[in-house]
Amino acid sequence: MTPDIIPLVAGNWKMNGARDQLDQLALMSQGLDDDLADAVDVVVCPPTTLLYVATTLSEDTPLQVGAQDCHNEQSGAHTGDISAEMIKDCLADYCIVGHSERRTDHGESDYHVAGKAQACWRAGLTAIICIGETEAEYDAGMAQAVLKRQILSSVPEGATEDDTIVAYEPVWAIGTGKTPSPEDIRDIHAFIRETLAEKLGGHGERMRILYGGSVKPANAAELMSILNVDGALVGGASLKAEDFLAICEIYRDM
Ligand code: PEP
């Protein structure tokens, strides 16, 4: 964690969850007591089909809601896409952009990701910008070079701690049960902090940097004790309220 930065835990449900999954969302919002909500910001990013009902269900609770992707334009002939304004219209406050699954499955480049982040700001959403190296890049010792390129090109100029969060997700750690060593995470997060600060000055020093990739209740405390890890982007373990709240509680207790 970074002194004076309130941590944030975001759950990414990906393409999981029909209406019956809303029970878990209700349990999450009920489980966020004032102590927890004062210590940690908690966001759930369900599939778009559940977005509006999720914000309605969590209204007047500390649970915040986000989307998993947006188009860079406000409206127009883009069949199947969703604009940041539409997400805001569903009363959500966050949007993940540049997740590695979007970069791989939909060929999104750093340029696209930066455009989506700017669309989030235009609509009044906080952008959660994902970066991370593949296993081949990690093995080749290229992780820092890849991350630097992604930060310089995916995080737009003018980003601040109020409108942007960066999530470091090594692609090879997503959904695999593998995580980098704590020393690797410490070094990489320090590198991300330094690069953000070079690019954005004080805003980069204060921006939240989340770690994502196989975070679960069993490893959350160790991951969170690392300097510059200001929260978590959680995939699989965010589908069950019990596991997701357990991760948030670990942050509260640190
Ligand atoms: C993710 O999809 O962003 C993620 C980190 O997934 P998991 O926690 O399942 O590895």
Side-chain angles (χ1 to χ4, degrees):
M1 294 169 73
T2 310
D4 301 329
I5 292 186
I6 296 180
L8 180 141
V9 179
N12 173 16
W13 285 7
K14 312 191 186 194
M15 197 170 71
N16 296 299
R19 282 177 295 149
D20 58 1
Q21 177 70 12
L22 292 169
D23 293 354
Q24 295 300 310
L25 193 124
L27 287 172
M28 288 173 193
S29 55
Q30 287 154 18
L32 283 180
D33 59 33
D34 288 346
D35 279 359
L36 219 166
D38 284 350
V40 193
D41 287 333
V42 183
V43 184
V44 171
C45 303
T48 313
T49 49
L50 299 179
L51 203 54
Y52 183 57
V53 71
T55 58
T56 308
L57 259 178
S58 57
E59 204 180 355
D60 299 327
T61 80
L63 185 66
Q64 303 179 83
V65 175
Q68 299 174 15
D69 180 52
C70 67
H71 195 277
N72 63 322
E73 289 181 24
Q74 192 164 345
S75 61
H78 302 290
T79 304
D81 279 315
I82 310 281
S83 71
E85 281 74 8
M86 291 169 175
I87 294 166
K88 190 68 187 174
D89 184 54
C90 287
L91 307 176
D93 290 314
Y94 293 81
C95 183
I96 299 170
V97 295
H99 191 283
S100 62
E101 287 152 15
R102 299 285 319 172
R103 289 179 188 257
T104 306
D105 298 353
H106 300 271
E108 291 183 6
S109 64
D110 291 327
Y111 172 80
H112 289 117
V113 176
K116 287 169 185 244
Q118 284 167 318
C120 289
W121 303 348
R122 184 186 68 218
L125 300 171
T126 299
I128 302 177
I129 304 177
C130 299
I131 56 172
E133 80 286 356
T134 63
E135 185 151 37
E137 290 162 343
Y138 177 81
D139 289 344
M142 288 165 57
Q144 294 199 355
V146 169
L147 294 170
K148 183 156 192 160
R149 188 207 74 222
Q150 291 179 334
I151 293 170
L152 295 183
S153 308
S154 302
V155 180
E157 286 300 340
T160 75
E161 63 278 24
D162 297 324
D163 58 29
T164 304
I165 293 167
V166 170
Y168 168 56
E169 299 207 303
V171 179
W172 51 274
I174 296 179
T176 58
K178 294 194 251 177
T179 54
S181 68
E183 295 72 32
D184 265 7
I185 296 179
R186 182 197 60 208
D187 292 351
I188 295 250
H189 276 245
F191 176 76
I192 294 171
R193 172 73 65 216
E194 197 182 294
T195 310
L196 285 172
E198 271 168 24
K199 179 172 172 137
L200 305 168
H203 296 299
E205 280 159 24
R206 295 185 292 273
M207 191 165 285
R208 289 188 272 206
I209 307 172
L210 313 184
Y211 169 78
S214 298
V215 177
K216 45 187 187 263
N219 62 13
E222 183 175 39
L223 293 168
M224 285 159 199
S225 65
I226 301 170
L227 185 62
N228 291 310
V229 174
D230 308 314
L233 182 52
V234 186
S238 70
L239 290 166
K240 274 176 119 189
E242 192 184 347
D243 290 344
F244 190 58
L245 286 171
I247 292 171
C248 299
E249 279 159 14
I250 289 167
Y251 263 110
R252 178 198 57 198
D253 298 338
M254 290 192 68

